Amino acid sequence: SYRWYGDETWMMLSWKSLFTHGVATVPIAIGSTLQSSPGLLLGSGWISALLYGLPQLILPPDLNIVNMGRTVSFLIGLITLILLCWTAYRLKVSNFLALFVAALLLSSTSFLFATHSARYDAITGFAVLAFVSFFALRVRNTIEKTRRDLRDPKGGLFYLFFGFCSIAIALTISPH
């Protein structure tokens, strides 16, 4: 199942190598610079190695590794949407507005690409949303003591919009 799809194949093989041997290498890139570890060039790939490399070791080896990676990215996208809706619920945003924001995210080509390719872009988007959600909820709990109106610029609605914009920006900027 090792066909050269570009980023998807070498990333999947690199994450499997990192997870199994502790070194990110691409074993099928004989004679190229990808055969040896890029070091810190790709940053810390341990989370990606766990999410994308572990299924390659658990599932049968005759399965297409790119499809495995795309499935992982799709599941991360679903978890991102769930987190977005959960955060909106916790911030007491109207159901209509929460669904509208989720529909905006679903309709963006960047989100579609990130959740349908075997790359770590979806993890980046999830991490940004998790960060913004955590702090929006913390700020809301603090502000709620003095302000009850979520439409206030310092209320939860502002931070939900801020989080959506952060996700959109994170998914439109290439991680390279």
Side-chain angles (χ1 to χ4, degrees):
S1 72
Y2 296 126
R3 295 186 300 185
W4 196 259
Y5 287 113
D7 278 354
E8 294 180 309
T9 300
W10 76 261
M11 285 180 163
M12 291 294 293
L13 292 173
S14 177
W15 291 324
K16 179 181 178 183
S17 172
L18 180 62
F19 192 75
T20 56
H21 306 294
V23 179
T25 62
V26 182
I28 63 169
I30 299 169
S32 81
T33 57
L34 295 175
Q35 188 176 6
S36 59
S37 174
L40 293 176
L41 180 65
L42 291 178
S44 177
W46 284 103
I47 293 174
S48 300
L50 178 67
L51 293 173
Y52 291 97
L54 187 61
Q56 295 178 63
L57 298 174
I58 294 173
L59 297 174
D62 59 334
L63 291 177
N64 186 317
I65 62 168
V66 172
N67 289 338
M68 277 187 230
R70 289 176 179 173
T71 303
V72 170
S73 293
F74 179 77
L75 293 174
I76 292 168
L78 285 177
I79 293 168
T80 301
L81 284 171
I82 291 168
L83 177 63
L84 179 69
C85 292
W86 179 79
T87 302
Y89 171 77
R90 292 287 313 267
L91 291 174
K92 298 181 181 164
V93 173
S94 73
N95 290 339
F96 174 77
L97 186 59
L99 290 174
F100 179 71
V101 170
L104 279 178
L105 183 61
L106 275 171
S107 66
S108 73
T109 55
S110 297
F111 186 78
L112 180 71
F113 175 77
T115 58
H116 288 76
S117 63
R119 295 169 40 97
Y120 53 88
D121 302 334
I123 300 171
T124 304
F126 174 79
V128 170
L129 180 62
F131 174 81
V132 170
S133 295
F134 175 78
F135 285 104
L137 291 170
R138 301 255 320 162
V139 168
R140 180 191 166 270
N141 291 338
T142 303
I143 292 174
E144 193 175 62
K145 294 175 185 172
T146 57
R147 291 187 174 103
R148 298 291 180 197
D149 188 7
L150 289 175
R151 290 177 191 84
D152 185 12
K154 294 181 179 169
L157 188 60
F158 171 77
Y159 293 104
L160 180 68
F161 179 73
F162 179 74
F164 174 76
C165 290
S166 299
I167 287 289
I169 290 169
L171 293 178
T172 56
I173 298 172
S174 175
H176 298 306

mmCIF file of all heavy atoms in Angstrom, residues 71-83 105-106 111 114-115 122-123 126:
data_model
loop_
_atom_site.group_PDB
_atom_site.id
_atom_site.type_symbol
_atom_site.label_atom_id
_atom_site.label_comp_id
_atom_site.label_asym_id
_atom_site.label_seq_id
_atom_site.Cartn_x
_atom_site.Cartn_y
_atom_site.Cartn_z
ATOM 1 N N THR A 71 -8.788 8.704 7.533
ATOM 2 C CA THR A 71 -9.819 8.356 8.522
ATOM 3 C C THR A 71 -9.517 9.003 9.866
ATOM 4 O O THR A 71 -10.413 9.543 10.523
ATOM 5 C CB THR A 71 -9.925 6.827 8.669
ATOM 6 O OG1 THR A 71 -10.215 6.256 7.385
ATOM 7 C CG2 THR A 71 -10.999 6.440 9.655
ATOM 8 N N VAL A 72 -8.255 8.989 10.273
ATOM 9 C CA VAL A 72 -7.858 9.636 11.526
ATOM 10 C C VAL A 72 -8.149 11.132 11.453
ATOM 11 O O VAL A 72 -8.721 11.715 12.387
ATOM 12 C CB VAL A 72 -6.368 9.372 11.843
ATOM 13 C CG1 VAL A 72 -5.890 10.232 12.994
ATOM 14 C CG2 VAL A 72 -6.133 7.903 12.145
ATOM 15 N N SER A 73 -7.789 11.770 10.349
ATOM 16 C CA SER A 73 -8.045 13.207 10.187
ATOM 17 C C SER A 73 -9.543 13.507 10.214
ATOM 18 O O SER A 73 -9.973 14.503 10.805
ATOM 19 C CB SER A 73 -7.447 13.721 8.882
ATOM 20 O OG SER A 73 -6.051 13.661 8.916
ATOM 21 N N PHE A 74 -10.341 12.643 9.592
ATOM 22 C CA PHE A 74 -11.789 12.823 9.598
ATOM 23 C C PHE A 74 -12.340 12.744 11.021
ATOM 24 O O PHE A 74 -13.179 13.564 11.422
ATOM 25 C CB PHE A 74 -12.452 11.774 8.698
ATOM 26 C CG PHE A 74 -13.945 11.874 8.652
ATOM 27 C CD1 PHE A 74 -14.550 12.860 7.891
ATOM 28 C CD2 PHE A 74 -14.726 10.998 9.364
ATOM 29 C CE1 PHE A 74 -15.935 12.964 7.847
ATOM 30 C CE2 PHE A 74 -16.111 11.104 9.327
ATOM 31 C CZ PHE A 74 -16.715 12.080 8.564
ATOM 32 N N LEU A 75 -11.858 11.776 11.793
ATOM 33 C CA LEU A 75 -12.313 11.634 13.182
ATOM 34 C C LEU A 75 -11.901 12.839 14.028
ATOM 35 O O LEU A 75 -12.669 13.304 14.879
ATOM 36 C CB LEU A 75 -11.774 10.336 13.785
ATOM 37 C CG LEU A 75 -12.340 9.052 13.171
ATOM 38 C CD1 LEU A 75 -11.635 7.827 13.736
ATOM 39 C CD2 LEU A 75 -13.845 8.978 13.384
ATOM 40 N N ILE A 76 -10.707 13.359 13.781
ATOM 41 C CA ILE A 76 -10.268 14.567 14.492
ATOM 42 C C ILE A 76 -11.171 15.740 14.115
ATOM 43 O O ILE A 76 -11.518 16.568 14.965
ATOM 44 C CB ILE A 76 -8.787 14.874 14.198
ATOM 45 C CG1 ILE A 76 -7.902 13.795 14.812
ATOM 46 C CG2 ILE A 76 -8.389 16.244 14.724
ATOM 47 C CD1 ILE A 76 -6.467 13.835 14.362
ATOM 48 N N GLY A 77 -11.584 15.821 12.861
ATOM 49 C CA GLY A 77 -12.512 16.857 12.433
ATOM 50 C C GLY A 77 -13.855 16.748 13.139
ATOM 51 O O GLY A 77 -14.431 17.759 13.556
ATOM 52 N N LEU A 78 -14.362 15.517 13.289
ATOM 53 C CA LEU A 78 -15.610 15.319 14.027
ATOM 54 C C LEU A 78 -15.462 15.749 15.484
ATOM 55 O O LEU A 78 -16.349 16.409 16.045
ATOM 56 C CB LEU A 78 -16.046 13.852 13.967
ATOM 57 C CG LEU A 78 -16.641 13.368 12.654
ATOM 58 C CD1 LEU A 78 -16.961 11.879 12.743
ATOM 59 C CD2 LEU A 78 -17.888 14.153 12.302
ATOM 60 N N ILE A 79 -14.342 15.398 16.096
ATOM 61 C CA ILE A 79 -14.087 15.793 17.486
ATOM 62 C C ILE A 79 -13.990 17.312 17.592
ATOM 63 O O ILE A 79 -14.477 17.912 18.559
ATOM 64 C CB ILE A 79 -12.818 15.098 18.019
ATOM 65 C CG1 ILE A 79 -13.056 13.591 18.123
ATOM 66 C CG2 ILE A 79 -12.387 15.671 19.358
ATOM 67 C CD1 ILE A 79 -11.800 12.783 18.368
ATOM 68 N N THR A 80 -13.408 17.952 16.589
ATOM 69 C CA THR A 80 -13.325 19.415 16.567
ATOM 70 C C THR A 80 -14.713 20.032 16.518
ATOM 71 O O THR A 80 -15.004 20.993 17.242
ATOM 72 C CB THR A 80 -12.485 19.889 15.369
ATOM 73 O OG1 THR A 80 -11.173 19.321 15.463
ATOM 74 C CG2 THR A 80 -12.374 21.397 15.320
ATOM 75 N N LEU A 81 -15.596 19.497 15.673
ATOM 76 C CA LEU A 81 -16.970 20.009 15.608
ATOM 77 C C LEU A 81 -17.710 19.791 16.918
ATOM 78 O O LEU A 81 -18.459 20.667 17.375
ATOM 79 C CB LEU A 81 -17.725 19.340 14.458
ATOM 80 C CG LEU A 81 -17.389 19.847 13.075
ATOM 81 C CD1 LEU A 81 -18.026 18.971 12.009
ATOM 82 C CD2 LEU A 81 -17.845 21.283 12.916
ATOM 83 N N ILE A 82 -17.499 18.642 17.533
ATOM 84 C CA ILE A 82 -18.130 18.368 18.829
ATOM 85 C C ILE A 82 -17.635 19.358 19.875
ATOM 86 O O ILE A 82 -18.419 19.904 20.658
ATOM 87 C CB ILE A 82 -17.877 16.909 19.255
ATOM 88 C CG1 ILE A 82 -18.655 15.956 18.345
ATOM 89 C CG2 ILE A 82 -18.246 16.690 20.723
ATOM 90 C CD1 ILE A 82 -18.267 14.501 18.483
ATOM 91 N N LEU A 83 -16.334 19.618 19.885
ATOM 92 C CA LEU A 83 -15.782 20.591 20.832
ATOM 93 C C LEU A 83 -16.348 21.985 20.579
ATOM 94 O O LEU A 83 -16.676 22.707 21.524
ATOM 95 C CB LEU A 83 -14.251 20.614 20.749
ATOM 96 C CG LEU A 83 -13.551 21.650 21.634
ATOM 97 C CD1 LEU A 83 -13.815 21.370 23.110
ATOM 98 C CD2 LEU A 83 -12.057 21.661 21.352
ATOM 99 N N LEU A 105 -17.848 26.487 9.455
ATOM 100 C CA LEU A 105 -16.611 25.705 9.507
ATOM 101 C C LEU A 105 -16.689 24.521 8.548
ATOM 102 O O LEU A 105 -15.747 24.260 7.800
ATOM 103 C CB LEU A 105 -16.343 25.234 10.937
ATOM 104 C CG LEU A 105 -15.043 24.470 11.154
ATOM 105 C CD1 LEU A 105 -13.838 25.333 10.816
ATOM 106 C CD2 LEU A 105 -14.956 23.991 12.598
ATOM 107 N N LEU A 106 -17.812 23.816 8.555
ATOM 108 C CA LEU A 106 -17.977 22.663 7.663
ATOM 109 C C LEU A 106 -17.923 23.041 6.192
ATOM 110 O O LEU A 106 -17.489 22.245 5.361
ATOM 111 C CB LEU A 106 -19.315 21.973 7.942
ATOM 112 C CG LEU A 106 -19.330 20.966 9.056
ATOM 113 C CD1 LEU A 106 -20.758 20.529 9.352
ATOM 114 C CD2 LEU A 106 -18.462 19.777 8.724
ATOM 115 N N PHE A 111 -11.206 23.436 5.959
ATOM 116 C CA PHE A 111 -11.627 22.382 6.885
ATOM 117 C C PHE A 111 -11.851 21.080 6.124
ATOM 118 O O PHE A 111 -11.472 20.007 6.599
ATOM 119 C CB PHE A 111 -12.896 22.810 7.630
ATOM 120 C CG PHE A 111 -13.320 21.850 8.706
ATOM 121 C CD1 PHE A 111 -12.677 21.837 9.931
ATOM 122 C CD2 PHE A 111 -14.368 20.968 8.494
ATOM 123 C CE1 PHE A 111 -13.051 20.957 10.931
ATOM 124 C CE2 PHE A 111 -14.759 20.085 9.482
ATOM 125 C CZ PHE A 111 -14.096 20.078 10.703
ATOM 126 N N ALA A 114 -8.425 19.683 5.366
ATOM 127 C CA ALA A 114 -7.730 19.229 6.575
ATOM 128 C C ALA A 114 -8.313 17.936 7.121
ATOM 129 O O ALA A 114 -7.583 17.099 7.648
ATOM 130 C CB ALA A 114 -7.779 20.312 7.651
ATOM 131 N N THR A 115 -9.609 17.754 6.993
ATOM 132 C CA THR A 115 -10.239 16.556 7.549
ATOM 133 C C THR A 115 -10.337 15.403 6.558
ATOM 134 O O THR A 115 -10.845 14.344 6.903
ATOM 135 C CB THR A 115 -11.655 16.879 8.075
ATOM 136 O OG1 THR A 115 -12.441 17.412 7.009
ATOM 137 C CG2 THR A 115 -11.582 17.855 9.221
ATOM 138 N N ALA A 122 -5.520 18.955 10.725
ATOM 139 C CA ALA A 122 -6.704 18.859 11.578
ATOM 140 C C ALA A 122 -6.324 18.904 13.054
ATOM 141 O O ALA A 122 -7.054 19.469 13.873
ATOM 142 C CB ALA A 122 -7.485 17.582 11.266
ATOM 143 N N ILE A 123 -5.177 18.321 13.402
ATOM 144 C CA ILE A 123 -4.713 18.373 14.788
ATOM 145 C C ILE A 123 -4.399 19.811 15.178
ATOM 146 O O ILE A 123 -4.706 20.248 16.295
ATOM 147 C CB ILE A 123 -3.467 17.482 14.995
ATOM 148 C CG1 ILE A 123 -3.786 16.035 14.671
ATOM 149 C CG2 ILE A 123 -2.937 17.600 16.408
ATOM 150 C CD1 ILE A 123 -2.567 15.148 14.647
ATOM 151 N N PHE A 126 -7.678 21.579 15.815
ATOM 152 C CA PHE A 126 -8.254 21.132 17.076
ATOM 153 C C PHE A 126 -7.522 21.754 18.266
ATOM 154 O O PHE A 126 -8.151 22.192 19.231
ATOM 155 C CB PHE A 126 -8.213 19.601 17.184
ATOM 156 C CG PHE A 126 -8.660 19.106 18.529
ATOM 157 C CD1 PHE A 126 -10.009 19.043 18.834
ATOM 158 C CD2 PHE A 126 -7.744 18.728 19.489
ATOM 159 C CE1 PHE A 126 -10.433 18.610 20.082
ATOM 160 C CE2 PHE A 126 -8.147 18.300 20.738
ATOM 161 C CZ PHE A 126 -9.504 18.232 21.032
#
